[in-house]
Amino acid sequence: MALKAGIIGLPNVGKSTLFNAITKKNILAANYPFATIEPNVGVVTVPDERLDILNNIYHPSKLIPTTFEFTDIAGLVKGASTGEGLGNKFLSHIREVDAIVEVVRCFEDSEITHVEGQIDPIRDIEIINVELILSDLEIIQNRINKIGKKADMTKDKEVILEVTTLKKAQESLSKNIPLRKVNFTDEELNIIKNFNLITLKPIIYVANVSEDDISTLPNKYTNLVLDYAVKDKSLMIAMCAKIESELASLENEEKNLFLQELGIEKSGLDKLITATYTLLGLETFFTCGKDEVRAWTFKKGMKAPQCAGIIHTDFQRGFIKAEVMSYDDLVKLGDEKRVQEAGKLRLEGKEYKMQDGDICYFRFNV
C-alpha cells in the first residue's frame, strides 16, 4: 500500500535535515526560507525485527521489508492560506499525504535564523495550524455556497446530509478546532473524507532538539510540545535531526555503538517511522518461502481477500482460501512442518480479518 506522510513546519526548523536522514539523500538544506521548493519524496523501510528471524528460518534469496513514503514539503509561513510564501502550492501538497509530521524547533542557535525572531514552539505550531484550518474552511465554505440552496429546496437526503455535515465541520473550524478532533458519525466521515481536508489527517509533532540536549531530555521546549500534543490527542517525538542525519550514514554496528554512546536505546527516526505506521492503523503480514520473504502493509481490519489484492489484483478477484499461520507459532515451533503437525496451520475464508504477524499463502483461481 502506497501510504505516505508529509513533513511540514516553518522554515529553518530542521525539516530538510530530518528528510536527509530519512532518505539518506543530500537534498538542499540551506539556512533560508524555501530551500525546498518542490516536494521531495523518499521511501523508507519500516523497522521490523521479525524479518531477521524469518530470514534465519527460511534463508530466502530475497528479503523485502515493507516501506513507507515521506514527503518533504517547503516551509510554511504565516499567511500561506491567502497565498503568502508558496501559499496554495504548499497546501495542495499536504492534501496528498495520509499523515502529517510537523517539525517544531526546540533548540537555540544564533547562527540559524528564525522567521518569527525567537524560539517559541507553541506559537510556531499554532501559526501552522491556523493556516491549515483557514485552508480547509475555504474549501468547505465554497462547497456550502455551491449546494446550500439546493439543500434548502430539495428533499434529497444525501444532499441534506452533506450540507449538515459541512456546516458541522465549518462550525468546528471557525472555533479553531481541527477536524481530527471532531466526532463525526461514519456517514458524516464518508462525506467529509471526499474533500481531502488537511485538518482531518492524523499528526505527529517532532520536537527537534540540539545535539547537547538529546541525552538530557526533556527540556523546557519539548515539555511544552508534549503538553500541546496530549491536548491535541496527537503524538510527540523528541529527536535531534542533525544526529539522525549522522546516524543515517552509518552501518548498523556503528549506528548501535553511536546510540550507546549517546545513551539512547532506539533512534528517533526508527521511533518516528514506527509511530507514523501505527498512527495510520497499519499492520504487517508476511509471505515466506525459499525465493523470497516479504513484509506487506495492510490496514487493520482488512479481510483476507483485500490483503491478497495488495499482492496482486488477481489474488483478490479469484480468492479461494488463505493458508495462515502466526509468526509467534512459527518461531515457537521452528518451521512450517512442525506448525502443521501441531495443528496451527489454518485455512481461512473470505471473512477472515488479517492479523498483524500472519504468514500467508493465498489460494486463488482466475
Side-chain angles (χ1 to χ4, degrees):
M1 297 178 70
L3 292 161
K4 58 186 176 182
I7 304 173
I8 68 171
L10 293 175
N12 302 335
V13 297
K15 291 186 306 83
S16 294
T17 304
L18 176 60
F19 184 78
N20 285 343
I22 285 172
T23 62
K24 298 185 182 179
K25 290 181 181 177
N26 186 27
I27 63 163
L28 183 60
N31 178 28
Y32 57 88
F34 315 127
T36 311
I37 302 300
E38 294 299 330
N40 293 272
V41 178
V43 177
V44 296
T45 58
V46 177
D48 195 330
E49 294 175 355
R50 294 174 296 185
L51 271 179
D52 295 328
I53 304 297
L54 292 173
N55 189 44
N56 291 333
I57 292 173
Y58 286 93
H59 304 288
S61 300
K62 289 189 290 185
L63 185 68
I64 305 175
T66 190
T67 59
F68 196 88
E69 194 173 285
F70 280 91
T71 302
D72 181 34
I73 301 169
L76 177 66
V77 293
K78 192 184 293 184
S81 59
T82 56
E84 290 295 322
L86 296 176
N88 292 328
K89 187 175 183 182
F90 166 93
L91 295 165
S92 69
H93 291 148
I94 304 176
R95 293 193 188 284
E96 296 170 6
V97 304
D98 301 291
I100 295 171
V101 175
E102 184 171 332
V103 183
V104 186
R105 181 168 167 176
C106 292
F107 65 90
E108 304 274 0
D109 190 330
S110 58
E111 293 184 4
I112 301 178
T113 58
H114 192 294
V115 289
E116 294 296 321
Q118 60 185 16
I119 309 302
D120 184 342
I122 303 307
R123 176 209 57 211
D124 295 354
I125 289 172
E126 290 181 343
I127 285 174
I128 287 181
N129 287 355
V130 165
E131 297 303 326
L132 302 185
I133 283 171
L134 289 173
S135 178
D136 280 355
L137 196 54
E138 183 181 6
I139 287 174
I140 287 173
Q141 286 172 338
N142 288 341
R143 181 62 178 169
I144 290 173
N145 291 340
K146 187 174 181 179
I147 67 166
K149 289 182 180 179
K150 183 180 178 181
D152 293 337
M153 297 170 63
T154 185
K155 293 183 180 179
D156 188 322
K157 290 182 180 179
E158 289 186 7
V159 175
I160 292 170
L161 179 60
E162 181 179 347
V163 171
T164 303
T165 303
L166 289 170
K167 285 183 176 178
K168 179 177 178 178
Q170 182 186 44
E171 183 181 357
S172 297
L173 292 171
S174 297
K175 293 177 181 176
N176 209 30
I177 300 171
L179 297 181
R180 62 181 170 273
K181 294 174 73 174
V182 179
N183 291 321
F184 290 109
T185 65
D186 289 342
E187 279 186 314
E188 291 171 338
L189 201 54
N190 285 334
I191 291 169
I192 214 76
K193 278 182 176 178
N194 291 328
F195 297 96
N196 211 13
L197 299 166
I198 302 172
T199 65
L200 195 61
K201 300 177 190 295
I203 189 167
I204 294 177
Y205 295 102
V206 171
N208 186 20
V209 302
S210 70
E211 294 168 281
D212 294 334
D213 284 345
I214 193 65
S215 57
T216 57
L217 291 174
N219 66 25
K220 61 180 180 180
Y221 296 132
T222 60
N223 280 331
L224 290 171
V225 178
L226 178 60
D227 288 344
Y228 189 96
V230 169
K231 291 173 185 174
D232 195 38
K233 296 181 180 178
S234 300
L235 300 177
M236 188 281 274
I237 293 173
M239 69 169 75
C240 174
K242 191 173 180 182
I243 286 177
E244 295 299 325
S245 189
E246 292 172 12
L247 283 168
S249 63
L250 301 177
E251 297 298 328
N252 281 340
E253 192 173 333
E254 293 176 309
K255 177 182 171 181
N256 290 333
L257 286 171
F258 192 5
L259 289 171
Q260 286 175 20
E261 288 175 10
L262 293 169
I264 301 170
E265 290 184 10
K266 196 174 183 181
S267 77
L269 184 50
D270 283 351
K271 289 179 184 176
L272 175 61
I273 296 168
T274 303
T276 309
Y277 199 74
T278 304
L279 186 70
L280 287 170
L282 304 179
E283 293 183 327
T284 303
F285 74 89
F286 302 96
T287 52
C288 299
K290 289 293 181 184
D291 291 335
E292 176 184 285
V293 167
R294 182 165 183 167
W296 301 87
T297 298
F298 70 100
K299 281 245 183 188
K300 189 174 183 178
M302 286 177 69
K303 294 181 180 179
Q306 294 173 289
C307 289
I310 292 169
I311 299 175
H312 198 287
T313 53
D314 284 351
F315 285 22
Q316 182 171 2
R317 187 160 54 93
F319 180 88
I320 300 171
K321 292 283 183 181
E323 291 182 13
V324 182
M325 61 180 164
S326 77
Y327 167 84
D328 290 338
D329 286 339
L330 177 64
V331 171
K332 182 180 178 181
L333 296 168
D335 61 39
E336 286 188 13
K337 186 178 179 182
R338 290 191 182 98
V339 172
Q340 189 170 7
E341 289 170 348
K344 298 289 187 179
L345 181 65
R346 314 183 309 274
L347 275 180
E348 301 288 0
K350 292 181 178 180
E351 294 304 309
Y352 176 68
K353 287 186 179 180
M354 197 71 76
Q355 301 298 308
D356 184 57
D358 277 350
I359 298 169
C360 306
Y361 174 79
F362 295 105
R363 297 182 184 178
F364 72 103
N365 183 34
V366 290

